[in-house]
Amino acid sequence: MIPHEIAAQVKPAERQINWQKTEFYGFINIGLPTVVNSEWTDGTISPANFVPDEFDAEEWVSFFKSAGFKGMVLNVKHHDGFCLWYSDYTKYSVEKSINWETENRDMVAMLSEECKKQGLKFGIAISPLDRNASCFGKGEEYNEYFKNLLREVLTKYGDIFYVRFDGANELSKNDEVQEYDWEGYYQVVRECQPGA
């Protein structure tokens, strides 16, 4: 137990104060489940199904700004494992969305750039649960894979003001329990985005 004299001296870090000053921000949850009209998917839906033809980053960010939001948080990877950015670590990403009629299919890039242009903060949500990755349930092998994804998304898109982890978990396809390396994940965030 911490003595009350010490507890009274605990002060928030500058990054925590900055987060409080953001006050009002919105969350976007889009991915393969969105386009196949399902709450969650099992990690087997083809990335070719992800064809958000009417997506317009400028429109989305303008809407957030007009609503008074100071930031946008994008769910960049949900439980199915589908990544909304070009990833060197998985083929289960927007890169394989061959039918989308735009040269740039990297939604993370488009939204982070537009947020910067319009003066909004940009953050991410990312789920460690992964129904697509064959190493899910393999302990440290999966944790390293997830840290690579995390490091990748935290270093490609400029300042990230907020990182949200979803704590969902389930048995792997082989009935294995995946123990998440939360401290390792936090360390990657501190290393790549110390102000988040």
Side-chain angles (χ1 to χ4, degrees):
M1 190 151 125
I2 299 174
H4 70 278
E5 298 86 15
I6 295 172
Q9 300 301 314
V10 173
K11 296 180 180 163
E14 184 178 350
R15 62 183 159 76
Q16 293 168 316
I17 293 170
N18 288 336
W19 175 74
Q20 288 288 340
K21 288 178 180 176
T22 303
E23 295 177 344
F24 189 50
Y25 54 91
F27 185 89
I28 294 175
N29 196 356
I30 185 171
L32 283 170
T34 312
V35 298
V36 298
N37 197 25
S38 179
E39 184 175 353
W40 289 11
T41 58
D42 63 4
T44 63
I45 304 294
S46 169
N49 285 295
F50 191 72
V51 188
D53 286 328
E54 296 181 29
F55 169 71
D56 182 333
E58 183 179 1
E59 179 182 40
W60 285 21
V61 175
S62 293
F63 173 78
F64 268 55
K65 195 167 183 176
S66 69
F69 290 114
K70 293 183 180 177
M72 172 184 284
V73 176
L74 176 66
N75 192 349
V76 297
K77 181 181 100 52
H78 207 253
H79 311 322
D80 58 0
F82 182 70
C83 298
L84 291 178
W85 74 92
Y86 297 144
S87 177
D88 292 332
Y89 297 96
T90 180
K91 294 179 181 178
Y92 207 55
S93 73
V94 292
E95 188 171 19
K96 302 303 175 190
S97 303
I98 55 175
N99 299 320
W100 192 2
E101 293 182 12
T102 179
E103 186 175 315
N104 183 2
R105 297 183 177 106
D106 188 332
M107 291 183 92
V108 183
M110 291 185 277
L111 286 169
S112 65
E113 288 167 14
E114 193 60 39
C115 280
K116 185 176 183 179
K117 192 183 299 181
Q118 293 194 41
L120 263 66
K121 294 180 179 181
F122 182 73
I124 66 162
I126 186 167
S127 176
L129 174 56
D130 197 313
R131 293 175 166 171
N132 180 266
S134 61
C135 59
F136 185 79
K138 305 280 187 220
E140 191 55 28
E141 180 184 354
Y142 177 76
N143 282 324
E144 285 306 309
Y145 167 77
F146 184 74
K147 286 185 230 179
N148 285 332
L149 290 178
L150 185 58
R151 194 172 282 109
E152 184 177 56
V153 77
L154 291 176
T155 57
K156 291 174 72 170
Y157 303 105
D159 289 337
I160 306 286
F161 88 98
Y162 178 81
V163 178
R164 178 187 183 272
F165 293 108
D166 189 305
N169 201 346
E170 63 189 15
L171 293 177
S172 75
K173 293 173 185 168
N174 297 321
D175 293 329
E176 299 158 316
V177 175
Q178 176 62 46
E179 296 289 334
Y180 297 143
D181 179 12
W182 291 115
E183 289 304 317
Y185 302 164
Y186 302 151
Q187 186 176 349
V188 171
V189 175
R190 295 279 65 84
E191 166 196 320
C192 299
Q193 292 288 338

